[in-house]
């Protein structure tokens, strides 16, 4: 099972709304989160290596999330499930919904992107593993499934270098950048994707409460960068650091 | 009859202009044999590889292409014959490569989708409320009477990107298959030379030409009829025009172009007048360069503004981008923009040839629609309604030809009924009436001569005069040697009203997968250093509105042409203006290019 999220395109330029409640997303290009694309690609490679029979793509969101699922289907997923909700879903709610879906679908492996590029939370995969009580291997840069033994060998990118874990399946794995390079969706696959099954459900049907636990107080643009100043001497530097920047 | 006599006189002269190597360049450079034929022939193939077949294939999801697709499906429903339509689009999503003023004349839309006025989702909401026309000096503005072509009653101020997205939705609702992210790279020909369809480009090819892991060869999309709706100076359309001699067939004159540079701003609500349509001529363009600017007040405190510069300018030092920045420094414009934010930036080329430059429109297996053929009404600066109508007429001709063809026939479809119906339609009447206005600016009197002629033409002659002025030269031939030109002074940008190219480019959201071969091909890679730089001072570094062409000093102390293909806005100015026609714009990997959303 692979979870994907529809986010603003990584090349899109955004502006903060004038009332500071968030980012202005009208008319902004949206696409699949890049880390989710990597997760979908990995899921398909696992299936191609006969590690599993079927890849199910899941997404949570409004009507347009179905487009993201169609992209996943065009890349090669077998079927898709759309949890339709117009409400804001935060990582905890997403994790609960995915946990409910996982209990229904009973996958061997759940793949997610390590984080979404709109909120950079980096929480969903971890919380999902916690809710299901499954092992987790996050920031994966390499995944090797041993279906017969029921385990997977995952190399993780951590601050100190690379760490390799062996996890028992079922497990949650989140993808990092170097896991793979996602394939292009070819035209015939895009056409075939239109005929693949895309089922819909809702948080109510799954019995999950998606009320937000966090409230956004304000969103502001970063302060404008001021030009650098050349100082003539070390004494002047110290003076500026103390009196202007007030850092010493 | 006089008209056809005059046109026939023009034909022998056309064949001179046809060859890629102009014979009499200023300075008399005869050694150029920038034969573009090798690159052009690469644009055709007979390889049908893995292919998908449709009844109608439309290359390009702009107003013309989508109107054609919608009309085709509508006819199918009316006559109980559901034929398949596929539209491919090189932009990553619909509207991404659409840029236009735009004050929309809904004539064609009323014919195509009359219920648009009741459609809540339709983004055509703001009627044009007032029109103003100014002549600008450096610091002053003189209000002139509105030319009749600039009366906008019944028209709407819109963002064409938004309209195209809506049209795309309508097309999909009717069952049209639309595939954004796929560009037409080559034309697929059948054994007898008729057009079978197009081939999309290979993806996953590295910069050096080697194949990456993600390599997937392009796919052939074949159809009984293929409509080329690629927009102004479309690469496959140019190729097809040469292959079938479409200009010569119609005795048409060379196409002449302009470059439009545009921004959309969100301005101070106190200054915003929704529906106000403003046009200016004069400053900053020199008297012998055709062009002008617009300011259209859109809904939501937004303003669309830009400058159109004709590409037949002769000064090698002119930069349409910098002229646009200069225009913004005029007090009238600066006052409007102060306190506002620039949202998006972009550029595109426009056809200014008008009626005289319309080529033959159909060929075995296909036809040209929209700006690819060139139906812009230049004095009105409106081309959307004529493009849409051309798409609709082509779709009708294609549908009728398919329905009449005997079942299982493999003979190429003849779409000549489209050319005839276009000549008999309001598109031809409208363009014919205005045909002499643009060329009158080239008669020697520059802006003043042109304005004078246009006044006479508009109020007295009304297009009924028996003569048709010619476009004397192709745009690239007009560029003078740098030594004969005076450099233009362009002040530094202030970062608030005027900007440098990189800042502007950021706002176009243009991007391409960087590890792919450059899509801007040099027919002869040595020519820029031998001719463009020493003779013309590298005009490409000035006319390109995206900073694609640079001449940095290399390690050997000499300057070399650097092509930053990743910045490309797909405007085609280089394909049009390179003095030796050495630069050929081809389609990059699909999905790249600008990401216009409100342009």
């Amino acid at each position: 099972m692979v979870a994907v999220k529809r986010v603003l395109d990584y090349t899109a330029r955004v502006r903060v709304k004038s009332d500071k409640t968030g980012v202005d997303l009208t008319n902004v290009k949206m696409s699949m989160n890049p880390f989710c694309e990597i997760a979908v690609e990995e899921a398909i490679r696992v299936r191609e290596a006969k590690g599993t029979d079927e890849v199910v793509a899941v997404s949570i969101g409004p009507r347009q999330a179905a487009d993201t699922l169609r992209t996943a289907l065009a890349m090669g997923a077998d079927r898709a499930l759309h949890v339709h909700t117009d409400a804001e879903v935060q990582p905890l709610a997403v994790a609960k919904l995915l946990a409910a879906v996982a209990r229904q679908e009973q996958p061997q492996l759940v793949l997610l992107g390590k984080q979404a590029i709109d909120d950079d939370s980096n929480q969903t995969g971890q919380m999902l593993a916690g809710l299901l009580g499954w092992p987790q291997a996050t920031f994966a840069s390499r995944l090797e499934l041993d279906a017969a033994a029921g385990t997977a060998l995952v190399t993780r990118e951590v601050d100190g270098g690379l760490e390799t874990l062996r996890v028992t399946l079922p497990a949650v794995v989140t993808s990092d950048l170097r896991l793979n390079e996602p394939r292009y969706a070819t035209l015939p696959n895009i056409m075939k994707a239109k005929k693949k099954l895309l089922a819909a459900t809702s948080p109510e049907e799954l019995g999950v409460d998606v009320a937000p636990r966090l409230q956004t107080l304000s969103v502001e643009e970063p302060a404008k960068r001021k030009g650098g100043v050349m100082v003539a001497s070390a004494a002047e530097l110290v003076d500026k650091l103390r009196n202007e920047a007030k850092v010493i | 009859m006089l008209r056809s006599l005059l046109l026939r006189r023009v034909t022998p002269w056309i064949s001179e202009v046809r060859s890629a190597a102009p014979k009499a360049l200023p300075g008399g450079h005869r050694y150029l044999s920038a034969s573009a034929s090798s690159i052009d022939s690469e644009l055709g193939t007979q390889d049908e590889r893995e292919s998908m077949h449709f009844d109608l294939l439309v290359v390009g999801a702009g107003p013309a292409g989508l109107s054609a697709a919608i009309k085709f499906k509508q006819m199918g429903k009316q006559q109980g014959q559901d034929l398949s339509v596929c539209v491919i689009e090189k932009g990553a999503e619909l509207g991404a490569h659409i840029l236009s003023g735009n004050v929309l004349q809904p004539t064609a839309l009323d014919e195509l989708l009359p219920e648009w006025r009741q459609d809540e989702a339709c983004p055509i909401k703001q009627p044009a409320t007032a029109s103003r026309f100014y002549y600008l000096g450096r610091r002053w503005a003189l209000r002139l009477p509105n030319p009749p072509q600039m009366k906008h009653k019944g028209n709407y101020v819109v963002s064409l990107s938004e309209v195209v997205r809506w049209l795309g939705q309508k097309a999909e609702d009717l069952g049209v298959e639309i595939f954004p992210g796929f560009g037409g790279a080559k034309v697929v020909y059948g054994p007898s030379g008729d057009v079978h369809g197009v081939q999309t480009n290979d993806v996953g090819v590295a910069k050096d030409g080697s194949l990456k892991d993600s390599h997937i060869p392009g796919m052939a999309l074949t159809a009984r009829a293929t409509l080329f709706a690629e927009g102004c100076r479309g690469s496959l359309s140019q190729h097809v025009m040469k292959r079938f001699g479409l200009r010569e067939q119609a005795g048409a004159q060379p196409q002449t172009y302009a470059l439009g540079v545009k921004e959309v701003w969100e301005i101070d609500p106190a200054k915003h007048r929704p529906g106000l349509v403003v046009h200016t001529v004069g400053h900053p363009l020199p008297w012998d360069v055709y062009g002008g600017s617009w300011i259209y007040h859109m809904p939501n405190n937004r303003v669309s503004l830009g400058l159109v510069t004709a590409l037949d300018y002769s000064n090698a030092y002119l930069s349409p981008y910098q002229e646009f920045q200069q225009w913004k420094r005029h007090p009238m414009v600066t006052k409007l923009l102060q306190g506002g934010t620039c949202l998006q930036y972009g550029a595109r080329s426009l056809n200014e040839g008008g009626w005289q430059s319309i080529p033959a429109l159909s060929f075995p297996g296909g036809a040209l629609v929209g700006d690819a053929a060139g139906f812009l009404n230049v004095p009105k600066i409106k081309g959307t309604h004529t493009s849409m109508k051309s798409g609709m007429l082509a779709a009708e001709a294609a549908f009728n030809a398919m329905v009449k063809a005997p079942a299982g026939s493999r003979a190429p479809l003849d779409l000549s009924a489209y050319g005839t119906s276009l000549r008999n339609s309001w598109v031809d009447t409208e363009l014919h009436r205005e045909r002499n206005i643009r060329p009158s600016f080239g008669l020697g009197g520059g802006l003043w001569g042109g304005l004078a002629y246009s006044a006479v033409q508009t109020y007295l002659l009304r297009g009924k005069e028996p003569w048709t002025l010619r476009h004397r030269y192709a745009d690239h031939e007009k560029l003078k040697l740098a030594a004969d030109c005076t450099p233009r002074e362009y002040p530094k940008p202030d970062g608030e009203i005027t900007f440098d190219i990189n800042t502007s480019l950021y706002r176009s959201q243009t991007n391409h997968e960087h590890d792919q071969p450059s899509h801007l091909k040099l027919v002869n890679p040595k020519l820029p250093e031998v001719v463009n730089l020493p003779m013309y001072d590298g005009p490409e570094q000035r006319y390109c509105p995206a900073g694609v062409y640079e001449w940095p000093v290399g390690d050997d102390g000499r300057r070399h042409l650097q092509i930053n293909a990743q910045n490309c806005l797909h405007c085609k100015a280089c394909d049009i203006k390179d003095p030796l026609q050495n630069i050929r714009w081809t389609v990059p990997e699909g999905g790249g290019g600008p990401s216009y959303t409100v342009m």
Side-chain angles (χ1 to χ4, degrees):
Chain A
M1 176 175 131
V2 58
V4 298
K5 183 177 180 187
R6 177 176 177 263
V7 297
L8 61 138
D9 189 81
Y10 77 95
T11 59
R13 316 289 182 219
V14 279
R15 293 165 59 224
V16 173
K17 284 198 268 209
S18 39
D19 58 5
K20 297 200 180 170
T21 53
V23 152
D24 187 7
L25 286 178
T26 51
N27 279 328
V28 170
K29 185 168 160 214
M30 308 289 273
S31 19
M32 192 190 293
N33 183 35
F35 296 109
C36 299
E37 273 181 14
I38 295 174
V40 172
E41 172 65 24
E42 195 61 26
I44 296 167
R45 290 190 188 188
V46 165
R47 187 193 62 207
E48 286 170 352
K50 307 277 196 277
T52 183
D53 293 329
E54 193 188 39
V55 173
V56 183
V58 184
S59 189
I60 297 150
R63 182 176 49 89
Q64 295 91 331
D67 296 334
T68 315
L69 285 170
R70 288 275 172 225
T71 310
L73 290 170
M75 284 171 73
D78 299 295
R79 59 185 170 88
L81 181 63
H82 176 199
V83 182
H84 190 145
T85 172
D86 288 317
E88 180 204 354
V89 275
Q90 295 179 347
L92 180 59
V94 173
K96 288 182 184 170
L97 287 166
L98 290 177
V101 173
R103 286 188 200 104
Q104 278 180 3
E105 295 283 339
Q106 309 259 339
Q108 277 192 296
L109 185 63
V110 179
L111 279 159
L112 301 91
K114 69 171 179 179
Q115 65 198 58
I117 60 173
D118 54 3
D119 56 14
D120 279 338
S121 298
N122 193 338
Q123 295 166 5
T124 309
Q126 292 86 335
M127 287 200 256
L128 175 63
L131 288 169
L132 289 170
W134 289 4
Q136 57 175 273
T138 52
F139 313 115
S141 64
R142 212 176 116 102
L143 172 65
E144 264 174 52
L145 217 63
D146 190 345
T151 63
L153 202 63
V154 186
T155 305
R156 305 178 58 224
E157 293 196 6
V158 296
D159 288 341
L162 297 174
E163 175 190 69
T164 307
L165 297 180
R166 189 185 310 277
V167 293
T168 53
L169 303 177
V172 173
V173 174
T174 71
S175 66
D176 206 328
L177 194 62
R178 276 162 280 274
L179 182 57
N180 59 49
E181 195 183 321
R183 65 193 61 192
Y184 291 92
T186 60
L187 267 179
N189 283 342
I190 293 178
M191 298 216 69
K192 280 190 217 139
K194 297 200 182 180
K195 303 197 177 68
K196 289 187 188 172
L197 177 63
L198 200 163
T201 179
S202 68
E204 293 75 34
E205 277 180 44
L206 293 170
V208 173
D209 163 31
V210 295
R213 303 289 195 267
L214 304 170
Q215 186 197 358
T216 303
L217 295 177
S218 91
V219 178
E220 288 170 17
E221 287 201 6
K224 282 213 176 344
R225 253 192 97 195
K226 292 212 246 321
V229 175
M230 297 289 273
V231 292
S233 67
E236 194 185 336
L237 175 63
V238 169
D239 174 58
K240 281 196 188 292
L241 284 173
R242 170 171 290 168
N243 299 320
E244 283 184 26
K246 298 202 177 17
V247 292
I248 53 168
Chain B
M1 194 196 77
L2 256 175
R3 204 188 303 168
S4 54
L5 265 178
L6 279 164
L7 281 176
R8 253 187 270 139
R9 286 254 226 96
V10 166
T11 316
W13 166 73
I14 294 288
S15 55
E16 274 186 31
V17 185
R18 201 173 144 193
S19 69
K23 286 195 200 141
L25 256 196
H29 296 287
R30 292 185 175 261
Y31 58 84
L32 4 126
S33 53
S35 152
S37 55
S38 56
I39 291 197
D40 283 338
S41 61
E42 277 173 22
L43 291 186
T45 177
Q46 291 202 356
D47 172 12
E48 297 212 9
R49 314 186 166 182
E50 200 195 332
S51 61
M52 283 175 24
H53 189 78
F54 302 90
D55 291 304
L56 181 71
L57 174 67
V58 180
V59 183
L66 290 175
S67 300
I70 291 173
K71 182 69 180 171
F72 193 83
K73 275 291 188 184
Q74 284 174 340
M75 293 185 77
K77 287 205 161 33
Q78 271 166 10
Q79 301 189 20
Q81 283 240 31
D82 195 22
L83 301 179
S84 61
V85 183
C86 167
V87 181
I88 60 170
E89 161 60 40
K90 63 173 162 60
E93 52 172 22
L94 245 48
H97 292 183
I98 298 287
L99 185 158
S100 178
N102 182 302
V103 176
L104 182 68
Q105 183 177 317
T107 324
L109 189 56
D110 284 331
E111 289 180 25
L112 183 70
L113 294 167
E115 68 277 10
W116 71 267
R117 293 173 197 270
Q118 285 82 37
D119 188 341
E120 279 291 316
C122 180
I124 307 174
K125 298 222 162 9
Q126 177 63 57
T129 51
S131 296
R132 298 200 195 135
F133 184 57
Y134 293 94
Y135 177 82
L136 297 182
R138 209 159 164 262
R139 307 242 121 227
W140 46 270
L142 176 67
R143 177 118 184 247
L144 294 177
N146 277 322
Q149 298 93 340
M150 296 301 199
K151 295 246 159 62
H152 294 290
K153 198 150 178 275
N155 296 341
Y156 292 80
V157 181
V158 300
S159 153
L160 197 59
S161 314
E162 291 180 2
V163 172
V164 162
R165 274 201 290 281
W166 170 78
L167 269 179
Q169 192 56 55
K170 291 282 167 219
E172 284 190 320
D173 290 343
L174 284 168
V176 174
E177 311 258 21
I178 306 186
F179 298 115
F182 291 94
K186 292 189 188 182
V187 179
V188 176
Y189 292 100
S192 55
D194 56 313
V195 169
H196 270 198
V198 301
Q199 192 182 92
T200 60
N201 36 17
D202 295 357
V203 288
V205 180
K207 228 182 182 40
D208 57 10
S210 63
L211 304 181
K212 299 191 281 196
D213 286 337
S214 49
H215 171 74
I216 301 178
M219 182 153 201
L221 295 163
T222 56
R224 297 167 71 188
T226 306
L227 296 182
F228 290 87
E230 293 174 297
C232 182
R233 197 83 173 188
S235 46
L236 295 184
S237 310
Q238 291 294 111
H239 162 86
V240 152
M241 279 195 257
K242 276 208 189 77
R243 171 72 81 116
F244 292 103
L246 296 178
R247 287 206 182 283
E248 295 72 17
Q249 266 184 50
Q253 294 173 29
Q255 185 63 264
T256 160
Y257 302 89
L259 182 61
V261 179
K262 174 181 174 178
E263 283 175 353
V264 172
W265 283 65
E266 194 174 79
I267 59 171
D268 180 358
K271 302 181 189 171
H272 189 247
R273 307 263 175 283
L276 176 60
V277 170
V278 175
H279 290 105
T280 81
V281 289
H283 179 79
L285 293 176
W287 68 278
D288 59 348
V289 177
Y290 181 86
S293 73
W294 77 88
I295 305 175
Y296 301 153
H297 289 240
M298 299 159 71
N300 294 330
N301 292 325
R302 290 182 172 171
V303 158
S304 152
L305 57 138
L307 182 73
V308 171
T309 309
L311 284 174
D312 64 350
Y313 66 82
S314 51
N315 188 339
Y317 292 102
L318 194 117
S319 162
Y321 173 85
Q322 293 295 350
E323 298 291 335
F324 171 58
Q325 304 304 323
Q326 191 69 334
W327 173 76
K328 282 192 283 175
R329 290 186 181 97
H330 189 280
M332 189 176 89
V333 187
T334 306
K335 256 203 292 253
L336 180 74
L337 298 180
Q338 255 158 2
T341 323
C342 181
L343 299 178
Q344 278 189 6
Y345 160 84
R348 62 159 287 181
S349 50
L350 301 78
N351 304 289
E352 293 204 326
W355 187 84
Q356 297 90 314
S357 300
I358 300 176
L361 295 169
S362 67
F363 40 87
L368 300 173
V369 296
D371 276 350
F375 300 112
L376 184 82
N377 181 328
V378 183
K380 269 194 192 172
I381 357 172
K382 286 190 184 44
T384 317
H385 61 308
T386 48
S387 292
M388 287 175 72
K389 181 66 175 170
S390 72
M392 289 156 65
L393 291 172
E396 270 182 54
F399 187 87
N400 290 332
M402 279 185 216
V403 158
K404 282 203 201 85
S409 153
R410 312 264 326 205
L413 279 184
D414 174 18
L415 297 180
S416 51
Y418 158 49
T420 319
S421 61
L422 190 105
R423 291 292 180 190
N424 292 333
S425 72
W426 52 261
V427 173
D428 187 272
T429 320
E430 191 178 312
L431 293 179
H432 182 254
R433 193 176 53 228
E434 318 284 15
R435 70 194 183 288
N436 284 325
I437 295 199
R438 170 66 182 94
S440 71
F441 285 73
L443 285 178
L447 176 66
W448 294 110
L451 281 177
Y453 182 94
S454 305
V456 172
Q457 137 98 40
T458 305
Y459 294 104
L460 280 178
L461 301 169
R462 317 248 171 136
K464 294 201 179 66
E465 64 270 29
W467 59 82
T468 298
L469 297 176
R470 301 183 326 197
H471 303 300
R472 301 178 149 265
Y473 299 101
D475 294 335
H476 66 272
E477 297 179 283
K478 292 285 294 282
L479 199 63
K480 289 214 192 94
L481 296 177
D484 299 332
C485 304
T486 352
R488 305 268 297 163
E489 290 242 325
Y490 295 124
K492 283 210 178 328
D494 62 19
E496 279 188 33
I497 306 284
T498 57
F499 309 100
D500 63 295
I501 278 206
N502 281 327
T503 312
S504 294
L505 212 51
Y506 179 81
R507 297 192 181 111
S508 70
Q509 299 177 118
T510 192
N511 193 30
H512 295 86
E513 159 64 50
H514 84 280
D515 191 14
Q516 64 171 305
S518 166
H519 64 278
L520 298 157
K521 312 251 187 242
L522 295 174
V523 177
N524 182 336
K526 295 206 176 19
L527 276 181
E529 278 160 44
V530 175
V531 180
N532 289 44
L533 185 61
M535 310 288 181
Y536 299 97
D537 200 38
E540 52 282 339
Q541 63 186 323
R542 297 194 176 84
Y543 60 61
C544 174
V548 168
Y549 300 97
E550 288 181 317
W551 285 97
V553 181
D555 293 328
D556 56 359
R558 292 172 47 219
R559 294 168 82 185
H560 299 275
L561 182 62
Q562 179 179 295
I563 302 184
N564 307 318
Q566 217 174 341
N567 292 356
C568 184
L569 289 175
H570 296 209
C571 77
K572 321 287 173 48
C574 52
D575 194 277
I576 295 166
K577 192 60 176 173
D578 182 66
L580 308 179
Q581 295 286 272
N582 193 31
I583 303 178
R584 276 281 174 268
W585 189 95
T586 62
V587 173
E589 254 183 41
S595 243
Y596 300 138
T597 52
V598 293
M599 297 294 261

